[in-house]
Amino acid sequence: MTTPPRPPEFDLDAAQSGLGDMGADDFRAHGHAVVDWIADYLEGVGERPVLAQVRPGQVRDGLPTSPPADPEPFADAMRDLDQVLLPGITHWNHPAFHAYFAITGSGPGILGEALAAAMNVNGMLWRTSPSATELEELVVDWLRQMLGLDTGFHGIITDSASMSTLLALAAARERTGLDVRQRGLAGRADVPLLRIYTSEHAHSSVEKAAITLGLGRDSVRTIATDDAYRMRVDALGEAIREDGRFGYRPLAIVPTVGTTSTTSIDPVTAIADLRDDLEEELGHPVWLHVDGAYGGMAAIVPELRHVLDGVDRADSFVTNPHKWLFTPIDCSTLFVREPEWLTRAFSLVPEYLVTDDRGVTDFMDWGVQLGRRFRSLKLWLVIRYFGTDGLAARIREHLAQARRVVDWVEQHADLELAAPAPFSTVCFRAVPTWFEPGGPGEEPDDAISDLNRAWLARINRTGDAYLSHTELDGRYVLRLALGNLRTTDERLDATLAVLDRELDALRRSRVPTEPSARA
Ligand SMILES: *Cc1c(COP(=O)(O)O)cnc(C)c1O
């Protein structure tokens, strides 16, 4: 079989005329309609059910199973967007979205996405769009200044904190000198057991990184936390010493500033002290990676700089503009002290990507992916549009709203706070005076957890608010996160009223009927 020397030939028919992209006039017309759609959507998003109320399969059932052979009017697709897709959207831009971490895809960020798509830049090399690379370098340096981090940090934008943490731990693995990049891990007698230490409240992305890097979940040792869900430094030291007796080598320690469940803040400075002692003792470096995906952003409020205390001693730090900096998903920033470990781990330049550009950054060398989106553009527009003072003011407002929720919980006879709330996320549960837990054989705490589960399900079914939950010390608790620019105090009060109303409905459904009324 010989390969044909030229592309195959076809009989070109009439359908070949009128090829090419959407014309400029059409683009203008549809583009204006789309911008109007977005403006209307953002203006009215608060009227929609925040959590999608569709059954599984409903969205697919509403759409043709095979693609159209012939062109369809753009307006037809927009109609399906309205009629079929929108009911299946959970509205993250909704003012009563309080699940997970509340976020905002802000106006300037949305426009930045559109502009980036228009230029369709692939920023793999500096020369494949110098502006993409240099704006990324510039804007992450802006963010570094906003967070009060020193000039020794160099940043890169990735799609997610999970990817940022994966890259950081890959750099840590490279720095061991075990040459895993070349030799891999399989079948090697000379590779010691490696450990990554993180708290029992750390994000699952640490374990996922260990899975991906071939270290395995067993390489992640989770450390107990104190009564405020912060990593216990004494327990960390004991775990490392104990592991040492079994031949483990500490690879990295990953404290969190703003854990996912309760937003607790691990004592990074004390952990860094311990790391320094350890390095001296062992004679090899131990990577310190700080996960501030959500909470780190609070440091742009000058009075809150201290939440990043100790980060100046980290090898790497991640925070997500797509969480608490109003940038449309996806956008995560990874800061590293020595980018060299990233490039040593990942740089692999095939001949067709070799350039003679000198003194430039080729971001493809810093990570897994070759092709890279122009993500810095939206972040740059967000920062320019709001200004650093404006961004700090907005974060302060979310903190004030969280205090409003804490006050509400504390003044409520049937509720209790489940954890300290250092940022804009509040964990609480119902322990109603009217509730008598425990049927025969049931643990009282399990019954209270079931009650809270039922309460949350009721709240989310209304479509008026969306909250999520977590488990703390075996107890099921609700989480209410603030971080959306459309959440006004009035709307928040209305949401709290929904919570009240649903708890009351639960009471009425539970309290046994009066004996007299039973007859
Ligand atoms: C949200 C979160 C992550 C994961 O972020 P992605 O960008 O979705 O990967 C990691 N760590 C913490 C502390 C988080 O809050």
Side-chain angles (χ1 to χ4, degrees):
M1 278 267 285
T2 53
T3 314
R6 282 175 293 168
E9 264 178 63
F10 299 98
D11 273 341
L12 299 184
D13 58 22
Q16 298 295 117
S17 67
L19 297 182
D21 195 8
M22 181 186 274
D25 289 343
D26 271 2
F27 188 87
R28 242 176 229 111
H30 299 315
H32 290 154
V34 166
V35 169
D36 283 341
W37 187 99
I38 295 172
D40 290 344
Y41 172 77
L42 294 175
E43 201 174 28
V45 63
E47 315 303 318
R48 298 177 183 275
V50 50
L51 177 65
Q53 309 282 316
V54 293
R55 57 166 175 77
Q58 182 177 324
V59 175
R60 292 196 62 169
D61 289 350
L63 297 169
T65 52
S66 32
D70 293 321
E72 291 192 306
F74 193 78
D76 286 7
M78 291 301 287
R79 187 200 57 220
D80 283 347
L81 170 65
D82 282 333
Q83 293 177 3
V84 185
L85 295 182
L86 265 186
I89 296 291
T90 292
H91 299 283
W92 287 72
N93 260 343
H94 192 292
F97 187 109
H98 300 295
Y100 317 107
F101 286 115
I103 60 176
T104 314
S106 65
I110 294 167
L111 296 173
E113 284 281 18
L115 292 166
M119 289 176 274
N120 200 28
V121 157
N122 180 340
M124 55 192 189
L125 296 165
W126 175 82
R127 71 159 47 187
T128 59
S129 272
S131 290
T133 296
E134 294 189 18
L135 189 67
E136 182 161 334
E137 292 175 314
L138 178 97
V139 80
V140 291
D141 196 66
W142 278 12
L143 187 57
R144 177 194 63 73
Q145 296 171 47
M146 290 159 65
L147 294 165
L149 298 176
D150 64 82
T151 53
F153 277 113
H154 308 272
I156 178 175
I157 297 181
T158 73
D159 60 353
S160 61
S162 304
M163 179 55 78
S164 295
T165 292
L166 172 68
L167 298 188
L169 292 175
R173 194 183 67 174
E174 188 59 28
R175 198 174 63 172
T176 58
L178 292 166
D179 198 19
V180 180
R181 169 200 167 95
Q182 185 61 33
R183 299 177 57 206
L185 286 165
R188 289 178 62 180
D190 62 326
V191 175
L193 294 163
L194 296 167
R195 277 277 214 221
I196 298 164
Y197 300 89
T198 197
S199 103
E200 56 188 352
H201 283 277
H203 190 262
S204 52
S205 53
V206 179
E207 264 184 74
K208 277 212 181 172
I211 293 170
T212 311
L213 293 169
L215 303 166
R217 294 183 69 187
D218 286 351
S219 72
V220 179
R221 182 156 179 184
T222 52
I223 305 300
T225 51
D226 65 12
D227 55 6
Y229 306 103
R230 298 169 299 205
M231 194 193 295
R232 275 178 42 203
V233 183
D234 61 326
L236 173 64
E238 272 166 36
I240 293 173
R241 267 195 303 281
E242 183 187 75
D243 277 354
R245 289 198 290 276
F246 293 97
Y248 282 95
R249 170 174 171 168
L251 174 68
I253 308 173
V254 186
T256 311
V257 173
T259 55
T260 314
S261 275
T262 70
T263 74
S264 59
I265 306 171
D266 289 336
V268 179
T269 300
I271 291 168
D273 288 344
L274 189 137
R275 189 274 311 261
D276 290 354
D277 292 348
L278 204 61
E279 286 186 337
E280 199 154 310
E281 224 172 276
L282 299 171
H284 67 70
V286 178
W287 195 280
L288 184 62
H289 173 64
V290 180
D291 179 358
Y294 151 76
M297 221 47 99
I300 70 174
V301 177
E303 310 91 279
L304 292 179
R305 283 273 164 86
H306 61 84
V307 303
L308 294 187
D309 280 354
V311 172
D312 54 338
R313 296 169 58 193
D315 296 287
S316 55
F317 167 67
V318 56
T319 189
N320 277 2
H322 79 219
K323 273 200 171 146
W324 207 3
L325 205 66
F326 322 125
T327 307
I329 197 162
D330 49 15
C331 187
S332 173
T333 42
L334 172 66
F335 293 91
V336 289
R337 284 228 171 263
E338 297 176 297
E340 184 198 343
W341 294 114
L342 282 177
T343 53
R344 280 173 66 161
F346 290 110
S347 177
L348 194 63
V349 186
E351 181 53 35
Y352 50 83
L353 293 173
V354 170
T355 72
D356 52 10
D357 301 323
R358 295 288 166 261
V360 301
T361 302
D362 294 325
F363 273 124
M364 69 168 192
D365 292 337
W366 289 44
V368 180
Q369 60 181 120
L370 172 65
R372 311 183 74 251
R373 304 182 62 219
F374 190 3
R375 293 194 185 88
S376 56
L377 186 60
K378 58 185 171 181
L379 179 54
W380 184 63
L381 291 176
V382 166
I383 297 173
R384 288 189 69 161
Y385 183 83
F386 294 111
T388 58
D389 287 350
L391 291 167
R394 284 165 173 82
I395 288 179
R396 268 193 214 99
E397 186 188 27
H398 295 147
L399 294 161
Q401 290 178 336
R403 280 197 304 279
R404 202 178 180 91
V405 176
V406 168
D407 288 345
W408 174 77
V409 170
E410 285 186 331
Q411 284 158 20
H412 201 298
D414 294 330
L415 303 181
E416 68 178 19
L417 273 185
F423 294 114
S424 66
T425 300
V426 185
C427 294
F428 59 97
R429 66 173 190 161
V431 279
T433 46
W434 47 263
F435 184 65
E436 284 174 24
E442 193 176 19
E443 285 293 320
D445 239 18
D446 289 348
I448 295 177
S449 285
D450 287 345
L451 179 88
N452 279 278
R453 202 174 279 119
W455 183 30
L456 181 62
R458 289 192 77 105
I459 294 164
N460 290 340
R461 258 200 311 272
T462 65
D464 293 336
Y466 181 27
L467 277 67
S468 58
H469 74 278
T470 190
E471 193 180 277
L472 297 176
D473 308 317
R475 295 165 317 182
Y476 185 97
V477 310
L478 276 61
R479 275 173 88 266
L480 194 160
L482 292 139
N484 191 286
L485 296 178
R486 292 189 171 71
T487 307
T488 58
D489 289 352
E490 296 70 44
R491 182 70 191 223
L492 179 57
D493 288 345
T495 295
L496 299 180
V498 169
L499 269 53
D500 250 333
R501 184 186 77 206
E502 293 306 317
L503 187 60
D504 197 52
L506 199 58
R507 176 183 63 78
R508 281 185 275 110
S509 74
R510 293 288 176 108
V511 170
T513 326
E514 301 286 320
S516 55
R518 218 186 263 160

mmCIF file of all heavy atoms in Angstrom, residues 101 160-162 203 205 256 258 260 291 293-294 320 322-323, ligand 1:
data_model
loop_
_atom_site.group_PDB
_atom_site.id
_atom_site.type_symbol
_atom_site.label_atom_id
_atom_site.label_comp_id
_atom_site.label_asym_id
_atom_site.label_seq_id
_atom_site.Cartn_x
_atom_site.Cartn_y
_atom_site.Cartn_z
ATOM 1 N N PHE A 101 -18.697 27.040 46.110
ATOM 2 C CA PHE A 101 -18.267 28.421 46.314
ATOM 3 C C PHE A 101 -19.034 29.280 45.330
ATOM 4 O O PHE A 101 -19.015 29.016 44.130
ATOM 5 C CB PHE A 101 -16.759 28.586 46.133
ATOM 6 C CG PHE A 101 -15.997 28.031 47.295
ATOM 7 C CD1 PHE A 101 -15.155 26.952 47.150
ATOM 8 C CD2 PHE A 101 -16.158 28.580 48.568
ATOM 9 C CE1 PHE A 101 -14.475 26.426 48.241
ATOM 10 C CE2 PHE A 101 -15.487 28.055 49.664
ATOM 11 C CZ PHE A 101 -14.645 26.977 49.499
ATOM 12 N N SER A 160 -7.540 25.170 36.141
ATOM 13 C CA SER A 160 -8.189 24.855 37.421
ATOM 14 C C SER A 160 -7.136 24.721 38.514
ATOM 15 O O SER A 160 -5.959 24.484 38.232
ATOM 16 C CB SER A 160 -8.957 23.531 37.306
ATOM 17 O OG SER A 160 -8.056 22.481 36.982
ATOM 18 N N ALA A 161 -7.595 24.827 39.752
ATOM 19 C CA ALA A 161 -6.684 24.604 40.876
ATOM 20 C C ALA A 161 -6.186 23.168 40.859
ATOM 21 O O ALA A 161 -5.061 22.895 41.282
ATOM 22 C CB ALA A 161 -7.394 24.904 42.192
ATOM 23 N N SER A 162 -7.019 22.265 40.381
ATOM 24 C CA SER A 162 -6.584 20.863 40.308
ATOM 25 C C SER A 162 -5.367 20.741 39.409
ATOM 26 O O SER A 162 -4.399 20.046 39.739
ATOM 27 C CB SER A 162 -7.725 19.990 39.772
ATOM 28 O OG SER A 162 -8.874 20.134 40.572
ATOM 29 N N HIS A 203 -8.483 19.586 49.758
ATOM 30 C CA HIS A 203 -9.284 19.286 48.564
ATOM 31 C C HIS A 203 -8.811 17.980 47.916
ATOM 32 O O HIS A 203 -7.627 17.647 47.960
ATOM 33 C CB HIS A 203 -9.137 20.441 47.571
ATOM 34 C CG HIS A 203 -10.088 20.353 46.439
ATOM 35 N ND1 HIS A 203 -9.735 19.833 45.220
ATOM 36 C CD2 HIS A 203 -11.391 20.707 46.347
ATOM 37 C CE1 HIS A 203 -10.791 19.879 44.410
ATOM 38 N NE2 HIS A 203 -11.797 20.411 45.070
ATOM 39 N N SER A 205 -8.168 17.370 45.069
ATOM 40 C CA SER A 205 -7.219 17.550 43.965
ATOM 41 C C SER A 205 -5.804 17.124 44.356
ATOM 42 O O SER A 205 -5.009 16.777 43.484
ATOM 43 C CB SER A 205 -7.215 19.015 43.502
ATOM 44 O OG SER A 205 -6.995 19.885 44.587
ATOM 45 N N THR A 256 -3.728 24.393 53.305
ATOM 46 C CA THR A 256 -4.806 25.076 52.592
ATOM 47 C C THR A 256 -5.160 26.375 53.295
ATOM 48 O O THR A 256 -5.249 26.411 54.521
ATOM 49 C CB THR A 256 -6.064 24.177 52.554
ATOM 50 O OG1 THR A 256 -5.694 22.875 52.114
ATOM 51 C CG2 THR A 256 -7.129 24.744 51.623
ATOM 52 N N GLY A 258 -8.252 28.355 53.365
ATOM 53 C CA GLY A 258 -9.653 28.314 52.946
ATOM 54 C C GLY A 258 -10.026 26.929 52.453
ATOM 55 O O GLY A 258 -10.189 26.713 51.255
ATOM 56 N N THR A 260 -12.128 23.530 51.603
ATOM 57 C CA THR A 260 -13.355 23.478 50.818
ATOM 58 C C THR A 260 -14.594 23.305 51.693
ATOM 59 O O THR A 260 -15.640 23.888 51.420
ATOM 60 C CB THR A 260 -13.239 22.358 49.769
ATOM 61 O OG1 THR A 260 -11.960 22.480 49.152
ATOM 62 C CG2 THR A 260 -14.294 22.479 48.713
ATOM 63 N N ASP A 291 -2.521 25.766 48.962
ATOM 64 C CA ASP A 291 -3.751 25.777 48.176
ATOM 65 C C ASP A 291 -4.682 26.861 48.731
ATOM 66 O O ASP A 291 -5.283 26.694 49.779
ATOM 67 C CB ASP A 291 -4.423 24.398 48.249
ATOM 68 C CG ASP A 291 -5.732 24.354 47.458
ATOM 69 O OD1 ASP A 291 -6.132 25.385 46.884
ATOM 70 O OD2 ASP A 291 -6.350 23.268 47.425
ATOM 71 N N ALA A 293 -7.160 28.221 46.676
ATOM 72 C CA ALA A 293 -8.006 28.320 45.475
ATOM 73 C C ALA A 293 -9.116 29.349 45.664
ATOM 74 O O ALA A 293 -9.362 30.195 44.807
ATOM 75 C CB ALA A 293 -8.588 26.954 45.120
ATOM 76 N N TYR A 294 -9.774 29.275 46.815
ATOM 77 C CA TYR A 294 -10.841 30.231 47.102
ATOM 78 C C TYR A 294 -10.356 31.312 48.077
ATOM 79 O O TYR A 294 -10.358 32.512 47.761
ATOM 80 C CB TYR A 294 -12.054 29.475 47.656
ATOM 81 C CG TYR A 294 -12.934 30.244 48.606
ATOM 82 C CD1 TYR A 294 -13.829 31.217 48.136
ATOM 83 C CD2 TYR A 294 -12.891 29.999 49.972
ATOM 84 C CE1 TYR A 294 -14.633 31.923 49.017
ATOM 85 C CE2 TYR A 294 -13.702 30.692 50.857
ATOM 86 C CZ TYR A 294 -14.568 31.657 50.378
ATOM 87 O OH TYR A 294 -15.357 32.345 51.257
ATOM 88 N N ASN A 320 -7.580 30.937 42.607
ATOM 89 C CA ASN A 320 -8.422 30.880 41.409
ATOM 90 C C ASN A 320 -9.189 32.177 41.157
ATOM 91 O O ASN A 320 -10.166 32.446 41.861
ATOM 92 C CB ASN A 320 -9.485 29.774 41.556
ATOM 93 C CG ASN A 320 -8.982 28.402 41.208
ATOM 94 O OD1 ASN A 320 -7.815 28.229 40.884
ATOM 95 N ND2 ASN A 320 -9.865 27.424 41.267
ATOM 96 N N HIS A 322 -11.265 32.411 38.995
ATOM 97 C CA HIS A 322 -12.642 31.995 38.664
ATOM 98 C C HIS A 322 -13.463 31.647 39.897
ATOM 99 O O HIS A 322 -14.639 31.322 39.777
ATOM 100 C CB HIS A 322 -12.667 30.886 37.589
ATOM 101 C CG HIS A 322 -12.372 29.485 38.045
ATOM 102 N ND1 HIS A 322 -11.629 28.613 37.290
ATOM 103 C CD2 HIS A 322 -12.737 28.780 39.123
ATOM 104 C CE1 HIS A 322 -11.548 27.436 37.897
ATOM 105 N NE2 HIS A 322 -12.213 27.524 39.023
ATOM 106 N N LYS A 323 -12.856 31.739 41.064
ATOM 107 C CA LYS A 323 -13.665 31.540 42.265
ATOM 108 C C LYS A 323 -14.107 32.879 42.860
ATOM 109 O O LYS A 323 -15.262 33.202 42.863
ATOM 110 C CB LYS A 323 -12.896 30.715 43.286
ATOM 111 C CG LYS A 323 -13.103 29.230 43.032
ATOM 112 C CD LYS A 323 -12.789 28.374 44.214
ATOM 113 C CE LYS A 323 -13.229 26.944 43.938
ATOM 114 N NZ LYS A 323 -12.329 25.978 44.555
HETATM 115 C C1 LIG B 1 -12.312 24.675 44.565
HETATM 116 C C2 LIG B 1 -11.071 24.204 45.198
HETATM 117 C C3 LIG B 1 -10.162 23.407 44.496
HETATM 118 C C4 LIG B 1 -10.435 22.896 43.114
HETATM 119 O O1 LIG B 1 -10.556 23.905 42.206
HETATM 120 P P1 LIG B 1 -10.728 23.609 40.643
HETATM 121 O O2 LIG B 1 -10.299 24.880 40.013
HETATM 122 O O3 LIG B 1 -12.169 23.309 40.443
HETATM 123 O O4 LIG B 1 -9.872 22.448 40.296
HETATM 124 C C5 LIG B 1 -8.986 23.061 45.120
HETATM 125 N N1 LIG B 1 -8.719 23.460 46.370
HETATM 126 C C6 LIG B 1 -9.563 24.210 47.079
HETATM 127 C C7 LIG B 1 -9.216 24.628 48.472
HETATM 128 C C8 LIG B 1 -10.772 24.616 46.519
HETATM 129 O O5 LIG B 1 -11.624 25.363 47.231
#
